[in-house]
Amino acid sequence: MTVPRSTLRLQLHKDFTFDDAARQVDYMAALGISHAYLSPVTTATSGSTHGYDTVDYTRVNPELGGEEGLRRFVEKLRAHEMGVIVDVVPNHMGVGGSENLWWMDILEWGRHAAHARYFDVDWHSPDPALRGKVLAPFLGAAYGEELQGGKIKLVFDADAGRFKIEYYAHTFPVSPLDYTSVLQDHAPEMARRFTGLSTQPGDQPRADEARAALKEFAATIEGKQAIDTAVQAHSGDNPVGRDRLHRLLERQHYRLAWWRTAADEVNWRRFFDVSTLGGMRVERPEVFEASHALIFRLFTEGLIDGVRIDHVDGLAEPREYCQRLRSRLEELAEYRPENLQNGRTYFVIEKILARGEPVRDDWRIDGTTGYDFMNDVGALLHDPRGAEPLAESWAELSGRSADFAVEAEAARRKILSENLSAELDRAARALQRIARDTPVTRDFTYSSLRRVVAELVVHFPVYRIYPVGGQRSEDDERFFSQAYEAAKAALAPADLAILDQVAQWLGGLGGDEAVEEKPRERERLLDRGKDRERDRQAANGQNQNLQANSAGSNSSGSHRRNAQTLFSQLTSPVAAKAIEDTACYRYGRLISRNEVGADPGEFSLSVDAFHAGNLERAKRFPNAMLATATHDHKRGEDVRARIAGLSEIPGEWAATLRSWSTLNTPHRRVLKSDEHGWAPGAAAEAMLYQTLVGCWPPTLSPDDQAGVKELAERVSAWQLKALREAKLRTGWFAPDEAYENACRDFLFDILAPQRRDGFLGELPAFVERVSRTGAINSFQQTLLRLTSPGVPDLYQGTELWDFSLVDPDNRRPVDFEQRRAWLSEGEAEGAPSEQLKNWRDGRVKLGIVRRSLALRAHAHSLFEQGAYVPLKVEGAHADSVIAFARHVGSAYAVVIATRLADSLLAENDTGLPLVDAAHWGDTAVVLPEALASRALFDWLSPNAPKSDGQRLFMRDALVAMPVALLMEEGVPRV
């Protein structure tokens, strides 16, 4: 029960609650889902549409229906013998507004607050204005401007007996220590109650007593008048009041600031560069227990069966966190209801993996949430022969680099300098503290350390490393050395010794060994006037003499661990922001490869490499999730599948791009104030065309004005986000609204009704040209997800065509009623192949999902425990087929899918996404010997092909559908 057979991800929010989800349980069960997979259920910021901005870990979100709503939902699931997995967010909490009481506590009491060590705050900032304070970068404009404009106000909350600072929706507490100064001229008796208070924990209860008295006083006419007068004395409407308010604010445990200051000055860890999400110190036992208490109770009571951990790479110690969580779940499992005390608790993590980066064996997890599989199957859809010509075409058209690595490095440098500068400073300061511990390294300057760290981060090939006992593992070393060599080539000779030392401090072998000081050699090494080559030789010669040497004090070990953590908590957000949120919006060879968890520089994946990935997963993490769509994807799975088809026709696509660019030249907007000259610009225009080709619904007619306008609105929202994320001609920090509006006007102009004889006519015609290839790609990735080793995850609504774009488009409401009706019709009408003639409405995809999940339920041991057996494909079109078998005991399931089908479809005039049987020629799959000359039944069609010995010809196996799921027994009658 606890290890899912399949999951369906549901995005919960105030407009789709537990009760709404409960109404879909019977549909989910009929589809073949074993576990509901929920977005975060802890209390989030009011109105949150995603739930990742938790403000209270201790309560089930009341906007979702609260705990009672969750219980009703789980009761419905249990009635269908289904389980539930919840998304847990240990890395960060929402800190905007005033709903997070833990955050309000540290704003009120500073470093002595009960929750001061819950958040990852640097209370010892080198900036005197932030020492012992928290930067509060929530102002919409500069502090002085907002203060002058009266936007920042002192108010009194009569219900709570508290003074607060209000700024629009944000509320900030006033320290009780300052109540005396606020009240002394207007309510001296009340002021004396707060006199002598300190921030020490022992004084905080006395402050509560004083505020209770103040609340009573405020309820009197005299008290209300006095407090109103005190508040008015701090009004920003006049110079005296404004000065008094400013001085009051300066005494608080926070510093109000313009949101733009965060990138350079924030002194607490954020989620990436989002200043409304504060990093948690979940590595501390008390924080771990407090932030997971609700989840543990729900698990113990049998209300949840497993967890998905969000952004594990943000944590200080991911390995230790996962091990601790597994241990706690195992301890609690014996207290669960008896009928649920079976099997291993399901536990997966959200983790982005680079090619060749392994999931660590000692984390005690079931695997990842499936971005690695999504990357593999996505790359598999691309024809490698299109890589070079498409890159050349992109470079020629856009004027940008053909090499994604160039864009990635530029984006990393930009993110470090503009978005995460404060985080880079903090990592460099941590290393400087180590350097100051010993005479041999104390002259390593902050600036030089910062340069070295920056180069390492810029060239880091993975999200982060995971040192054990302060030392890098063999896997870590493999990736760190890549960054080291690239940094070494980029740095000046005088910095190379510092690079070597930093490499040791960040987990190199021998990093704790004491070294002998050699001042003269050190002086010679750092002499900037020396010859470059001699500097390099000197640096190389001194490496062993300048190794980490902080074993002389107990604090140095702590400093080193802190530096390693800060470095890892820097490489991770830089990779995410630079690659996913910047470079992927700049590089447009084919945007189907610009996806979360993917490397756009890796264009395609061979069948053999795909098989190797599946074999590795089957061996090490057989219960890992398999995803092809998520709440974070940039393009729906079917958008990517269709765009991938362009890789098969690179020349035709390049000519189409040039033709459309010429056709739409009159609609470009010329911006006199813009040095680039026109909007949207060549690169943005080319990526727009790819997006339109990818997301145009198969059933949309250019004559449907309302439908075209709705699509244009959706694409416009994507376009705005894409332009800002690219950070080239506009951005989130400094939006160029004139440019953005011109881009929107261009989009709506080329899709205007009067363009039906122009671009609006050509676009759907081209979509029709590539849509069958896209559909076959979709069927391929769907079937591979449902039959590969692991737990297939279905993102809400994607059982039909998924032509969504980046969030919030991919989180739009799902029409479950339509899916429910079509599912019932499909079951009555028979195999998915019966719907192939209506493939444009997506029902055939729904049928593939339903029948594949039915087989997983029918032969669960085959897919849960069965071996993965790659099958050889022979014949004229062997490159256009992928095949494998799942095998346990005497049972086999054979999976076959058409791929790279465009050339095979060229002569097919049926209009179906199906290769004519005659075109396959002698192409055949070589079956396992046990299946030789046996009849196999297709779960996706009435077909029952028989092999010729061990050879199963595609002209027989793929006669009714472009994919096949074969067993020796047919679909059981219900």
Side-chain angles (χ1 to χ4, degrees), residues 484-485 488 493 496-500 524-525 532-547:
Y484 172 87
E485 292 299 330
K488 185 176 180 180
L496 298 185
I498 300 174
L499 171 64
D500 287 341
R524 183 187 67 183
L525 177 65
R532 179 181 178 89
E533 181 57 30
R534 192 177 72 180
D535 274 342
R536 285 191 177 277
Q537 293 174 354
N540 292 334
Q542 292 302 313
N543 285 348
Q544 62 182 19
N545 294 321
L546 290 173
Q547 288 186 354

Side-chain angles (χ1 to χ4, degrees), residues 264-281:
D264 295 321
E265 297 188 346
V266 70
N267 63 334
W268 44 274
R269 183 169 59 86
R270 302 172 289 172
F271 171 72
F272 297 165
D273 61 349
V274 182
S275 297
T276 54
L277 297 174
M280 302 297 294
R281 298 193 63 188

Side-chain angles (χ1 to χ4, degrees), residues 809-882:
D809 192 66
N810 60 11
R811 302 173 188 177
R812 287 178 297 153
V814 176
D815 187 348
F816 283 105
E817 293 309 309
Q818 180 192 59
R819 286 160 176 77
R820 185 193 307 275
W822 283 1
L823 183 66
S824 297
E825 292 174 10
E827 290 175 343
E829 293 172 3
S833 59
E834 299 297 321
Q835 292 294 337
L836 191 62
K837 60 183 179 296
N838 302 317
W839 64 273
R840 287 178 176 81
D841 64 18
R843 275 182 281 185
V844 62
K845 183 184 177 186
L846 175 64
I848 293 173
V849 172
R850 171 67 184 97
R851 283 294 183 92
S852 299
L853 292 180
L855 178 57
R856 291 186 70 99
H858 175 70
H860 59 275
S861 62
L862 179 64
F863 290 94
E864 290 178 9
Q865 306 164 21
Y868 180 88
V869 184
L871 298 180
K872 183 179 180 181
V873 184
E874 300 176 336
H877 301 296
D879 288 345
S880 292
V881 177
I882 180 172

Side-chain angles (χ1 to χ4, degrees), residues 436-455:
R436 293 288 173 83
D437 277 349
T438 58
V440 73
T441 58
R442 73 176 188 180
D443 286 342
F444 286 178
T445 65
Y446 167 78
S447 295
S448 63
L449 289 165
R450 193 179 192 275
R451 285 194 300 271
V452 165
V453 173
E455 287 301 328

Side-chain angles (χ1 to χ4, degrees), residues 405-444:
V406 174
E407 293 285 16
E409 180 176 337
R412 284 174 174 269
R413 293 191 185 281
K414 185 177 183 69
I415 291 298
L416 263 183
S417 64
E418 298 180 15
N419 296 65
L420 297 170
S421 177
E423 286 79 1
L424 174 59
D425 289 344
R426 192 175 177 187
R429 286 198 304 271
L431 289 166
Q432 187 183 32
R433 280 192 287 270
I434 303 173
R436 293 288 173 83
D437 277 349
T438 58
V440 73
T441 58
R442 73 176 188 180
D443 286 342
F444 286 178

Side-chain angles (χ1 to χ4, degrees), residues 605-622:
L605 192 71
S606 69
V607 169
D608 287 344
F610 179 82
H611 286 322
N614 270 351
L615 286 167
E616 179 75 5
R617 191 176 298 106
K619 177 182 177 181
R620 299 181 61 235
F621 294 97

Side-chain angles (χ1 to χ4, degrees), residues 710 714 795-796 802-805 808-814:
E710 179 185 4
R714 291 178 48 222
Y795 182 65
Q796 61 177 29
D802 174 23
F803 292 111
S804 63
L805 299 171
D809 192 66
N810 60 11
R811 302 173 188 177
R812 287 178 297 153
V814 176

